[in-house]
Amino acid sequence: MTITGFEDVEEMLNKLANPYEMAEKAVNKAAPIVEKNLKTQIRSAANRRDKYGKPYSTGELEASIAATNARDNSLGVFAVVKPNGTDKIRNAEKMGYLEYGVRSHGQEPRPVRAAAVAQSENAVMQVMEEVIGAEVDKL
C-alpha cells in the first residue's frame, strides 16, 4: 500500500508553525465590534437623569472606551476593551459603579459588559472565522 499527498498537508502545517500571528489578526479585527457595542450599552445605561433631574452622564466614560492591540499569554490571544483615563475619578471606577451599582446612593447595577459581550458574540465569531479562513487560504 502506498500513501501519497501528505507532503502538501505537511507543508501547510509547517506554515502554521506560528498560529498566534493569525489569531492576533483575527482578534484585532474583531475587537472594534466589542468596543462599539460596549459604548452603545454604556450610552443606553447612563443616558438618564438622577433623582434631582440632573443628567447622569457626561459621556466621558463612553468616550474613554478603547480596545488594546491583541497580545498573547499562556491562555491564548486576547484583546481588552476597557475604559481609559480619568476626569474627576478614574473611568475604570465609573465603569465599576455603573456595572455593579452603588447601594449607598441607590444606584442599581447596570451590567453593561455582559450585555455588550452577549451582543457581540456572533459577529465576533464570524469575523474571526473569516480572517482565519482567509489566512489559511493564503497557505
Side-chain angles (χ1 to χ4, degrees), residues 32-114:
I33 296 167
V34 180
E35 181 180 331
K36 176 181 169 257
N37 288 334
L38 182 56
K39 286 181 177 186
T40 300
Q41 290 293 327
I42 289 171
R43 185 179 323 113
S44 175
N47 191 13
R48 62 189 195 286
R49 298 194 176 271
D50 67 13
K51 60 185 175 184
Y52 305 108
K54 186 176 160 188
Y56 180 76
S57 173
T58 63
E60 292 172 358
L61 175 59
E62 177 188 345
S64 78
I65 300 296
T68 65
N69 287 327
R71 53 187 184 249
D72 63 270
N73 64 14
S74 62
L75 300 175
V77 177
F78 65 96
V80 179
V81 178
K82 63 183 177 122
N84 296 290
T86 185
D87 50 292
K88 291 178 185 174
I89 62 172
R90 292 183 314 245
N91 286 316
E93 238 179 293
K94 288 185 209 175
M95 180 79 166
Y97 296 147
L98 182 64
E99 185 79 14
Y100 300 108
V102 182
R103 191 170 47 158
S104 63
H105 287 78
Q107 181 179 328
E108 294 296 319
R110 299 183 187 314
V112 294
R113 287 184 297 182

Coordinates of all heavy atoms in Angstrom, one line a residue, residues 32-114:
P32 N -12.9 45.8 17.6 CA -13.8 47.0 17.5 C -15.3 46.7 17.6 O -16.1 47.6 17.9 CB -13.4 47.5 16.1 CG -12.0 47.0 15.8 CD -12.0 45.7 16.5
I33 N -15.7 45.5 17.3 CA -17.1 45.1 17.4 C -17.5 45.2 18.9 O -18.5 45.8 19.2 CB -17.4 43.7 16.9 CG1 -17.1 43.7 15.4 CG2 -18.8 43.3 17.2 CD1 -17.0 42.3 14.8
V34 N -16.7 44.6 19.8 CA -17.0 44.7 21.2 C -16.9 46.1 21.7 O -17.7 46.6 22.5 CB -16.0 43.8 22.0 CG1 -16.3 43.8 23.5 CG2 -16.1 42.3 21.5
E35 N -15.9 46.9 21.2 CA -15.8 48.3 21.6 C -17.0 49.1 21.3 O -17.6 49.8 22.1 CB -14.5 48.9 20.9 CG -14.3 50.3 21.3 CD -13.0 50.9 20.6 OE1 -12.1 50.1 20.2 OE2 -13.0 52.1 20.3
K36 N -17.5 48.9 20.1 CA -18.7 49.7 19.6 C -19.9 49.3 20.5 O -20.7 50.1 20.9 CB -19.0 49.4 18.2 CG -20.2 50.0 17.6 CD -20.4 49.6 16.2 CE -21.8 50.0 15.7 NZ -22.7 48.9 15.6
N37 N -20.1 48.0 20.7 CA -21.2 47.5 21.5 C -21.2 47.9 23.0 O -22.2 48.2 23.6 CB -21.4 46.0 21.3 CG -21.9 45.6 20.0 OD1 -22.6 46.4 19.3 ND2 -21.6 44.4 19.5
L38 N -20.0 48.0 23.5 CA -19.8 48.4 24.9 C -20.2 49.9 25.0 O -20.9 50.3 25.9 CB -18.4 48.1 25.4 CG -18.2 48.5 26.9 CD1 -19.2 47.9 27.8 CD2 -16.8 48.2 27.3
K39 N -19.7 50.7 24.1 CA -20.1 52.1 24.1 C -21.6 52.3 23.9 O -22.2 53.1 24.6 CB -19.4 52.8 22.9 CG -17.9 53.0 23.1 CD -17.3 53.7 22.0 CE -15.8 54.0 22.2 NZ -15.2 54.8 21.2
T40 N -22.2 51.5 23.1 CA -23.7 51.6 22.9 C -24.4 51.2 24.2 O -25.3 51.9 24.7 CB -24.1 50.6 21.8 OG1 -23.5 51.0 20.6 CG2 -25.6 50.7 21.6
Q41 N -23.9 50.2 24.9 CA -24.5 49.7 26.2 C -24.3 50.8 27.3 O -25.3 51.1 28.0 CB -23.9 48.4 26.6 CG -24.3 47.2 25.8 CD -25.8 46.9 25.9 OE1 -26.4 47.1 27.0 NE2 -26.4 46.4 24.8
I42 N -23.2 51.4 27.3 CA -22.9 52.5 28.3 C -23.8 53.7 28.0 O -24.4 54.2 28.9 CB -21.4 52.9 28.3 CG1 -20.6 51.7 28.9 CG2 -21.2 54.2 29.0 CD1 -19.1 51.9 28.8
R43 N -23.9 54.1 26.8 CA -24.8 55.2 26.4 C -26.2 54.9 26.8 O -26.9 55.8 27.4 CB -24.7 55.5 24.9 CG -25.4 56.7 24.5 CD -25.3 57.0 23.0 NE -24.0 56.7 22.4 CZ -23.8 55.7 21.5 NH1 -24.8 54.9 21.1 NH2 -22.6 55.4 21.0
S44 N -26.7 53.7 26.6 CA -28.0 53.4 26.9 C -28.3 53.3 28.4 O -29.3 53.8 28.9 CB -28.4 52.0 26.3 OG -29.6 51.6 26.7
A45 N -27.3 52.8 29.2 CA -27.5 52.7 30.6 C -27.3 54.0 31.3 O -27.9 54.2 32.4 CB -26.5 51.6 31.2
A46 N -26.4 54.8 30.8 CA -26.0 56.1 31.5 C -26.8 57.3 31.0 O -26.8 58.3 31.6 CB -24.5 56.3 31.4
N47 N -27.6 57.1 30.0 CA -28.3 58.2 29.4 C -29.6 58.4 30.1 O -30.7 58.0 29.6 CB -28.6 58.0 27.9 CG -29.1 59.3 27.2 OD1 -29.1 60.4 27.8 ND2 -29.6 59.1 26.0
R48 N -29.6 58.9 31.4 CA -30.7 59.1 32.2 C -30.5 60.3 33.1 O -29.4 60.8 33.1 CB -31.1 57.8 32.9 CG -30.0 57.4 33.9 CD -30.3 56.0 34.4 NE -29.6 55.6 35.6 CZ -28.3 55.3 35.6 NH1 -27.6 55.2 34.5 NH2 -27.7 54.9 36.7
R49 N -31.5 60.6 33.9 CA -31.3 61.7 34.9 C -31.4 61.2 36.3 O -32.1 60.2 36.6 CB -32.4 62.7 34.6 CG -32.3 63.3 33.2 CD -33.2 64.5 33.1 NE -33.0 65.2 31.8 CZ -32.1 66.1 31.5 NH1 -31.3 66.5 32.5 NH2 -32.0 66.6 30.3
D50 N -30.7 61.8 37.2 CA -30.7 61.4 38.6 C -32.0 61.9 39.2 O -32.9 62.5 38.6 CB -29.5 61.9 39.4 CG -29.4 63.4 39.5 OD1 -30.4 64.1 39.3 OD2 -28.3 63.9 39.9
K51 N -32.2 61.6 40.5 CA -33.4 61.9 41.2 C -33.7 63.4 41.3 O -34.8 63.8 41.6 CB -33.5 61.3 42.6 CG -32.4 61.7 43.5 CD -32.4 60.9 44.8 CE -31.3 61.3 45.7 NZ -31.3 60.5 46.9
Y52 N -32.7 64.2 41.0 CA -32.9 65.7 41.0 C -33.1 66.3 39.6 O -33.2 67.5 39.5 CB -31.7 66.4 41.7 CG -31.4 65.8 43.0 CD1 -30.3 65.0 43.2 CD2 -32.2 66.1 44.1 CE1 -30.0 64.5 44.5 CE2 -31.9 65.6 45.4 CZ -30.8 64.8 45.6 OH -30.6 64.3 46.8
G53 N -33.2 65.4 38.6 CA -33.4 65.8 37.2 C -32.1 66.2 36.5 O -32.2 66.6 35.4
K54 N -31.0 66.0 37.1 CA -29.7 66.4 36.6 C -29.2 65.3 35.7 O -29.4 64.1 36.0 CB -28.7 66.6 37.7 CG -27.4 67.1 37.3 CD -26.5 67.4 38.5 CE -25.1 67.4 38.2 NZ -24.2 67.5 39.3
P55 N -28.7 65.6 34.5 CA -28.2 64.5 33.6 C -27.1 63.6 34.4 O -26.3 64.2 35.0 CB -27.5 65.2 32.4 CG -28.1 66.6 32.4 CD -28.5 66.9 33.9
Y56 N -27.3 62.3 34.2 CA -26.4 61.4 34.9 C -25.1 61.3 34.3 O -24.1 61.1 34.9 CB -27.1 60.0 35.0 CG -26.3 59.0 35.7 CD1 -26.2 58.9 37.1 CD2 -25.7 58.0 35.0 CE1 -25.5 58.0 37.7 CE2 -24.9 57.0 35.6 CZ -24.9 57.0 37.0 OH -24.1 56.1 37.6
S57 N -25.0 61.3 33.0 CA -23.8 61.0 32.2 C -23.3 62.3 31.5 O -24.0 63.1 31.0 CB -24.1 60.0 31.2 OG -23.0 59.8 30.4
T58 N -21.9 62.4 31.5 CA -21.3 63.4 30.8 C -20.8 62.9 29.4 O -20.4 63.7 28.6 CB -20.0 64.0 31.5 OG1 -19.1 62.9 31.7 CG2 -20.4 64.5 32.9
G59 N -20.8 61.6 29.2 CA -20.3 61.0 28.0 C -18.8 60.7 28.0 O -18.3 60.1 27.1
E60 N -18.2 61.0 29.1 CA -16.7 60.8 29.2 C -16.4 59.3 29.4 O -15.4 58.9 28.8 CB -16.1 61.6 30.4 CG -16.2 63.1 30.1 CD -15.8 63.9 31.3 OE1 -15.5 63.4 32.4 OE2 -15.7 65.2 31.2
L61 N -17.2 58.6 30.1 CA -16.9 57.1 30.2 C -17.0 56.5 28.9 O -16.1 55.7 28.4 CB -17.9 56.5 31.2 CG -17.8 55.0 31.3 CD1 -16.4 54.5 31.8 CD2 -18.9 54.5 32.3
E62 N -18.1 56.8 28.1 CA -18.3 56.2 26.8 C -17.1 56.5 25.9 O -16.6 55.7 25.2 CB -19.6 56.6 26.2 CG -19.8 56.1 24.8 CD -21.0 56.8 24.1 OE1 -21.9 57.4 24.8 OE2 -21.1 56.6 22.9
A63 N -16.7 57.8 25.9 CA -15.6 58.2 25.0 C -14.3 57.6 25.4 O -13.4 57.5 24.6 CB -15.5 59.7 25.1
S64 N -14.1 57.1 26.6 CA -12.9 56.6 27.1 C -12.7 55.1 26.7 O -11.6 54.6 26.9 CB -12.7 56.7 28.6 OG -13.5 55.8 29.3
I65 N -13.7 54.5 26.2 CA -13.6 53.0 25.9 C -12.8 52.8 24.7 O -13.0 53.4 23.7 CB -15.0 52.4 25.7 CG1 -15.9 52.6 26.9 CG2 -15.0 51.0 25.2 CD1 -15.5 51.9 28.2
A66 N -11.8 51.9 24.8 CA -10.9 51.6 23.7 C -10.4 50.1 23.8 O -10.3 49.6 25.0 CB -9.7 52.5 23.7
A67 N -10.2 49.5 22.7 CA -9.6 48.2 22.7 C -8.1 48.2 22.6 O -7.5 49.1 21.9 CB -10.2 47.4 21.5
T68 N -7.5 47.3 23.3 CA -6.0 47.2 23.2 C -5.7 46.4 21.9 O -6.5 45.7 21.4 CB -5.4 46.5 24.4 OG1 -5.9 45.1 24.4 CG2 -5.7 47.2 25.7
N69 N -4.4 46.4 21.5 CA -4.0 45.6 20.5 C -3.9 44.1 21.0 O -3.7 43.9 22.2 CB -2.6 46.0 19.9 CG -2.7 47.2 19.1 OD1 -3.6 47.5 18.4 ND2 -1.6 48.0 19.2
A70 N -4.1 43.2 20.1 CA -4.0 41.8 20.5 C -2.7 41.4 21.1 O -1.6 41.9 20.6 CB -4.4 40.9 19.4
R71 N -2.7 40.6 22.1 CA -1.4 40.1 22.7 C -1.7 38.7 23.1 O -2.9 38.2 23.2 CB -0.9 41.0 23.8 CG -1.9 41.3 24.9 CD -1.2 42.3 25.8 NE -2.1 42.6 26.9 CZ -2.8 43.7 27.1 NH1 -2.7 44.7 26.2 NH2 -3.6 43.9 28.1
D72 N -0.7 37.9 23.5 CA -0.9 36.6 23.9 C -0.3 36.3 25.3 O 0.7 37.0 25.7 CB -0.4 35.6 22.9 CG 1.1 35.7 22.6 OD1 1.5 36.4 21.8 OD2 1.8 34.9 23.3
N73 N -0.8 35.3 25.9 CA -0.2 34.8 27.2 C -0.4 33.3 27.2 O -0.7 32.7 26.1 CB -0.9 35.5 28.4 CG -2.4 35.1 28.5 OD1 -2.9 34.2 27.9 ND2 -3.0 35.9 29.4
S74 N -0.2 32.7 28.3 CA -0.3 31.2 28.3 C -1.7 30.7 28.0 O -1.8 29.5 27.7 CB 0.1 30.7 29.7 OG -0.7 31.2 30.7
L75 N -2.7 31.5 28.1 CA -4.1 31.0 27.8 C -4.5 31.3 26.3 O -5.5 30.7 25.9 CB -5.1 31.7 28.7 CG -4.8 31.5 30.2 CD1 -5.8 32.4 31.0 CD2 -5.0 30.0 30.5
G76 N -3.7 32.1 25.6 CA -4.0 32.3 24.2 C -3.9 33.8 23.8 O -3.2 34.5 24.5
V77 N -4.6 34.2 22.8 CA -4.5 35.5 22.2 C -5.8 36.3 22.7 O -6.9 35.7 22.6 CB -4.4 35.5 20.7 CG1 -4.4 36.9 20.1 CG2 -3.1 34.7 20.3
F78 N -5.6 37.5 23.1 CA -6.7 38.3 23.6 C -6.5 39.8 23.3 O -5.4 40.2 23.1 CB -6.9 38.0 25.0 CG -5.8 38.5 25.9 CD1 -5.9 39.8 26.5 CD2 -4.6 37.8 26.1 CE1 -4.8 40.2 27.3 CE2 -3.6 38.2 26.8 CZ -3.7 39.5 27.4
A79 N -7.6 40.5 23.4 CA -7.5 42.0 23.5 C -8.5 42.4 24.6 O -9.4 41.6 25.0 CB -8.0 42.6 22.1
V80 N -8.2 43.6 25.1 CA -9.0 44.0 26.3 C -9.8 45.3 25.8 O -9.1 46.2 25.3 CB -8.2 44.3 27.5 CG1 -9.0 44.9 28.6 CG2 -7.4 43.1 27.9
V81 N -11.1 45.3 26.0 CA -11.8 46.5 25.7 C -12.2 47.1 27.1 O -12.9 46.5 27.9 CB -13.1 46.2 24.9 CG1 -13.9 47.4 24.7 CG2 -12.8 45.5 23.6
K82 N -11.7 48.3 27.4 CA -11.8 48.9 28.7 C -11.8 50.4 28.7 O -11.4 51.0 27.7 CB -10.6 48.4 29.5 CG -9.3 48.9 29.0 CD -8.1 48.4 29.8 CE -6.8 48.9 29.1 NZ -6.0 49.6 30.0
P83 N -12.3 51.0 29.8 CA -12.2 52.4 29.9 C -10.8 52.9 30.2 O -10.0 52.2 30.9 CB -13.2 52.7 31.1 CG -13.2 51.5 31.9 CD -13.0 50.3 30.9
N84 N -10.4 54.0 29.7 CA -9.1 54.6 30.0 C -9.2 56.0 30.5 O -10.2 56.7 30.3 CB -8.3 54.6 28.7 CG -8.0 53.2 28.1 OD1 -7.3 52.5 28.7 ND2 -8.7 52.9 27.0
G85 N -8.2 56.5 31.2 CA -8.1 57.9 31.6 C -8.9 58.2 32.8 O -9.5 57.3 33.5
T86 N -9.0 59.5 33.1 CA -9.6 60.0 34.3 C -10.1 61.4 34.1 O -9.6 62.1 33.2 CB -8.6 59.9 35.5 OG1 -9.3 60.3 36.7 CG2 -7.5 60.8 35.3
D87 N -11.1 61.8 34.8 CA -11.5 63.2 34.9 C -11.6 63.5 36.4 O -10.6 63.6 37.0 CB -12.8 63.5 34.1 CG -13.9 62.6 34.3 OD1 -13.9 61.4 33.9 OD2 -14.9 63.0 34.9
K88 N -12.8 63.6 36.9 CA -12.9 63.7 38.4 C -12.5 62.4 39.1 O -11.9 62.5 40.2 CB -14.3 64.1 38.8 CG -14.7 65.5 38.3 CD -16.1 65.9 38.7 CE -16.4 67.2 38.2 NZ -17.8 67.6 38.4
I89 N -12.9 61.3 38.5 CA -12.5 60.0 39.1 C -12.1 59.2 37.9 O -12.4 59.5 36.7 CB -13.6 59.3 39.9 CG1 -14.8 59.0 39.0 CG2 -14.0 60.1 41.1 CD1 -15.9 58.2 39.7
R90 N -11.4 58.1 38.1 CA -10.9 57.2 37.0 C -12.1 56.6 36.3 O -13.1 56.2 36.9 CB -10.1 56.0 37.6 CG -8.8 56.5 38.2 CD -7.9 55.3 38.6 NE -8.7 54.4 39.4 CZ -8.5 54.1 40.7 NH1 -7.6 54.7 41.4 NH2 -9.3 53.2 41.3
N91 N -12.0 56.5 35.0 CA -13.1 56.0 34.2 C -13.3 54.5 34.5 O -14.5 54.0 34.4 CB -12.8 56.2 32.7 CG -13.1 57.6 32.3 OD1 -14.0 58.3 32.7 ND2 -12.2 58.2 31.6
A92 N -12.3 53.8 34.9 CA -12.5 52.4 35.3 C -13.4 52.3 36.5 O -14.2 51.4 36.7 CB -11.1 51.7 35.5
E93 N -13.2 53.3 37.4 CA -14.1 53.3 38.6 C -15.5 53.6 38.3 O -16.4 52.9 38.8 CB -13.6 54.4 39.5 CG -13.2 54.0 40.9 CD -12.7 55.2 41.7 OE1 -11.6 55.7 41.4 OE2 -13.4 55.5 42.7
K94 N -15.7 54.5 37.3 CA -17.1 54.8 36.9 C -17.7 53.6 36.3 O -18.9 53.3 36.5 CB -17.1 55.9 35.8 CG -16.8 57.3 36.3 CD -16.9 58.2 35.1 CE -16.0 59.4 35.2 NZ -16.1 60.2 33.9
M95 N -16.9 52.8 35.5 CA -17.4 51.6 34.9 C -17.9 50.6 36.0 O -18.9 50.0 35.9 CB -16.3 51.0 34.0 CG -16.7 49.7 33.3 SD -17.7 50.1 31.9 CE -17.7 48.6 31.1
G96 N -17.1 50.5 37.0 CA -17.4 49.6 38.1 C -18.7 50.1 38.8 O -19.6 49.2 39.1
Y97 N -18.9 51.4 39.0 CA -20.1 51.9 39.6 C -21.3 51.6 38.7 O -22.4 51.3 39.2 CB -20.0 53.4 39.9 CG -18.9 53.8 40.9 CD1 -18.2 55.0 40.8 CD2 -18.6 52.9 42.0 CE1 -17.3 55.3 41.7 CE2 -17.6 53.3 42.9 CZ -16.9 54.5 42.7 OH -16.0 54.8 43.6
L98 N -21.1 51.8 37.5 CA -22.2 51.5 36.5 C -22.6 50.1 36.5 O -23.7 49.7 36.6 CB -21.9 52.0 35.1 CG -22.9 51.9 34.0 CD1 -24.1 52.7 34.3 CD2 -22.3 52.3 32.7
E99 N -21.5 49.2 36.4 CA -21.7 47.8 36.3 C -22.3 47.2 37.5 O -23.2 46.3 37.4 CB -20.3 47.1 36.0 CG -20.4 45.7 35.8 CD -20.8 45.3 34.3 OE1 -20.8 46.2 33.5 OE2 -21.1 44.1 34.1
Y100 N -21.8 47.5 38.7 CA -22.3 46.9 39.9 C -23.2 47.7 40.8 O -23.7 47.2 41.8 CB -21.0 46.5 40.7 CG -20.2 45.5 40.0 CD1 -18.9 45.9 39.5 CD2 -20.6 44.2 39.7 CE1 -18.1 45.0 38.7 CE2 -19.8 43.3 39.0 CZ -18.6 43.8 38.5 OH -17.8 42.9 37.7
G101 N -23.4 49.0 40.5 CA -24.2 49.9 41.3 C -23.5 50.4 42.5 O -22.4 50.0 42.8
V102 N -24.2 51.3 43.2 CA -23.7 51.9 44.4 C -24.9 51.9 45.4 O -25.8 52.7 45.3 CB -23.2 53.3 44.2 CG1 -22.6 53.9 45.5 CG2 -22.1 53.4 43.1
R103 N -24.9 50.9 46.2 CA -26.1 50.7 47.1 C -26.3 51.9 48.0 O -27.5 52.3 48.2 CB -25.9 49.5 48.0 CG -27.1 49.1 48.7 CD -27.0 47.7 49.3 NE -25.7 47.6 50.0 CZ -25.5 46.7 51.0 NH1 -26.4 45.9 51.4 NH2 -24.3 46.6 51.6
S104 N -25.3 52.5 48.5 CA -25.4 53.7 49.4 C -26.0 54.9 48.7 O -26.6 55.8 49.4 CB -24.1 54.1 50.1 OG -23.2 54.5 49.1
H105 N -26.0 55.0 47.4 CA -26.5 56.1 46.7 C -27.8 55.7 45.9 O -28.3 56.4 45.1 CB -25.5 56.6 45.7 CG -24.4 57.4 46.4 ND1 -23.4 56.8 47.0 CD2 -24.2 58.8 46.5 CE1 -22.6 57.8 47.5 NE2 -23.1 58.9 47.2
G106 N -28.2 54.5 46.1 CA -29.4 54.0 45.4 C -29.3 53.7 43.9 O -30.2 53.7 43.2
Q107 N -28.0 53.5 43.5 CA -27.8 53.3 42.1 C -27.8 51.8 41.8 O -27.0 51.0 42.4 CB -26.4 53.8 41.7 CG -26.1 53.6 40.2 CD -24.8 54.2 39.8 OE1 -24.4 55.2 40.3 NE2 -24.2 53.6 38.8
E108 N -28.7 51.4 41.0 CA -28.9 50.0 40.7 C -27.8 49.5 39.7 O -27.3 50.3 38.9 CB -30.3 49.7 40.0 CG -31.4 50.0 40.9 CD -31.5 49.0 42.1 OE1 -31.2 47.8 41.9 OE2 -31.8 49.5 43.2
P109 N -27.4 48.2 39.8 CA -26.4 47.7 38.9 C -27.0 47.7 37.4 O -28.1 47.5 37.2 CB -26.2 46.3 39.3 CG -26.8 46.2 40.7 CD -27.8 47.3 40.8
R110 N -26.1 48.0 36.5 CA -26.4 48.0 35.1 C -25.3 47.2 34.4 O -24.3 47.8 34.0 CB -26.6 49.4 34.5 CG -27.7 50.2 35.2 CD -27.9 51.5 34.6 NE -28.8 52.5 35.3 CZ -30.0 52.3 35.7 NH1 -30.5 51.1 35.7 NH2 -30.7 53.2 36.3
P111 N -25.5 45.9 34.3 CA -24.4 45.1 33.8 C -24.1 45.3 32.3 O -24.5 44.5 31.4 CB -24.8 43.7 34.1 CG -26.3 43.8 34.2 CD -26.6 45.2 34.7
V112 N -23.4 46.3 31.9 CA -23.2 46.7 30.5 C -22.2 45.8 29.8 O -22.3 45.5 28.7 CB -22.8 48.2 30.4 CG1 -24.0 49.1 30.8 CG2 -21.6 48.5 31.2
R113 N -21.2 45.3 30.6 CA -20.2 44.5 30.0 C -20.7 43.2 29.5 O -20.5 42.7 28.4 CB -19.0 44.2 31.0 CG -18.1 45.4 31.2 CD -17.0 45.2 32.0 NE -17.4 44.8 33.4 CZ -16.7 44.5 34.4 NH1 -15.4 44.5 34.2 NH2 -17.2 44.2 35.5
A114 N -21.5 42.5 30.3 CA -22.1 41.2 30.0 C -23.0 41.4 28.8 O -23.0 40.6 27.8 CB -22.8 40.6 31.1

